[in-house]
């Protein structure tokens, strides 16, 4: 695919979403009743499924085929930041893991955080621009650290994976996925996660106690080790 064709495709994606807002709308106007973190986590998992189905529909109607496959995990070496609600859902999930898995996650998180501490990658951010994200990922790639939730290249928190993960699609030849920051034909369907994020924060405020977005290994370290 040429860059010219790709630019046309991205415009086609945007136009399709705009022209079919009602068809691909979520349950706007519905006020979820999150009694506890289980309710919030269950709702979030269902909305991720709903959103990814809608993204698949957009791809189909725009004549695009994502090259991402189960077990690839080549993009799972990026700096992933999670928002306060995602942090609480992750904490809820980790609380149900056995001691051996928690110990492994804690040790792995410590190792990654020690490496990050020697780099220019921040543990916490409030807001981030595309340029800042590019520079952070360029720096993070030097650490050569895969996501600590990968198990045989399969995501072990797939049902509650961060927005950054489920909104990302790659349309270039998969051979370029090995080249950091050379994914010239990737697309982030951020319009879909905006709805999910807005609902989570509107009705889940009672569960959060901070405003920063945490780097995923840092978040795990805080959850397991308390620091």
């Amino acid at each position: 695919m040429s860059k010219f064709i790709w630019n046309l495709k991205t415009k086609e994606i945007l136009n399709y979403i705009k022209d079919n807002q009602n068809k691909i709308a979520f349950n706007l106007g519905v006020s979820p009743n999150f009694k506890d973190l289980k309710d919030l986590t269950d709702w979030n998992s269902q909305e991720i499924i709903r959103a990814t189905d809608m993204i698949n529909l957009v791809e189909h109607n725009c004549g695009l085929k994502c090259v991402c496959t189960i077990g690839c995990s080549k993009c799972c070496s990026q700096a992933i930041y999670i928002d306060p609600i995602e942090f609480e859902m992750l904490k809820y999930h980790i609380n149900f893991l056995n001691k051996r898995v928690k110990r492994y996650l804690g040790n792995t998180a410590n190792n990654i955080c020690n490496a990050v501490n020697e780099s220019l990658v921040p543990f916490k951010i409030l807001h981030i621009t595309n340029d800042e994200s590019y520079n952070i990922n360029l720096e993070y790639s030097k650490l050569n650290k895969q996501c600590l939730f990968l198990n045989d290249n399969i995501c072990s928190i797939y049902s509650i994976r961060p927005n950054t993960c489920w909104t990302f699609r790659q349309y270039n030849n998969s051979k370029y996925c090995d080249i950091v920051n050379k994914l010239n034909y990737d697309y982030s369907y951020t319009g879909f996660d905006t709805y999910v994020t807005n609902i989570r924060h509107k009705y889940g405020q009672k569960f959060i106690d901070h405003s920063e977005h945490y780097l995923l290994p840092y978040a795990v370290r805080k959850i397991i080790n308390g620091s």
Side-chain angles (χ1 to χ4, degrees), residues 107-123:
N107 291 337
T108 306
N110 280 334
N111 289 337
I112 297 175
C113 286
N114 288 339
V116 170
N117 204 40
E118 300 298 321
S119 73
L120 299 176
V121 177
F123 285 129

Side-chain angles (χ1 to χ4, degrees), residues 137-212:
N137 272 315
L138 197 61
E139 183 71 17
Y140 195 82
S141 68
K142 299 173 185 177
L143 306 179
N144 195 28
K145 301 290 186 182
Q146 278 199 311
C147 179
L148 70 173
F149 286 105
L150 282 178
N151 186 357
D152 292 331
N153 285 335
I154 301 296
C155 177
S156 62
I157 57 167
Y158 192 76
S159 65
I160 60 166
R161 64 198 185 279
N163 290 353
T164 303
C165 303
W166 65 260
T167 57
F168 180 84
R169 298 289 176 103
Q170 172 59 261
Y171 301 105
N172 203 350
N173 190 309
S174 59
K175 69 181 181 181
Y176 296 115
C177 294
D178 283 324
I179 306 174
V180 177
N181 286 315
K182 294 296 184 182
L183 307 181
N184 296 321
Y185 302 105
D186 59 287
Y187 194 87
S188 293
Y189 290 82
T190 52
F192 291 89
D193 78 293
T194 298
Y195 163 74
V196 176
T197 300
N198 287 345
I199 294 294
R200 282 193 319 223
H201 281 266
K202 182 176 181 179
Y203 299 102
Q205 278 291 327
K206 59 186 176 183
F207 302 117
I208 65 177
D209 60 5
H210 68 278
S211 57
E212 303 98 336

Side-chain angles (χ1 to χ4, degrees), residues 86-99:
E86 290 175 320
F87 175 82
E88 295 301 330
M89 291 189 294
L90 182 62
K91 183 194 295 185
Y92 174 79
H93 171 81
I94 287 176
N95 284 340
F96 289 96
L97 301 177
N98 63 49
K99 291 182 179 179

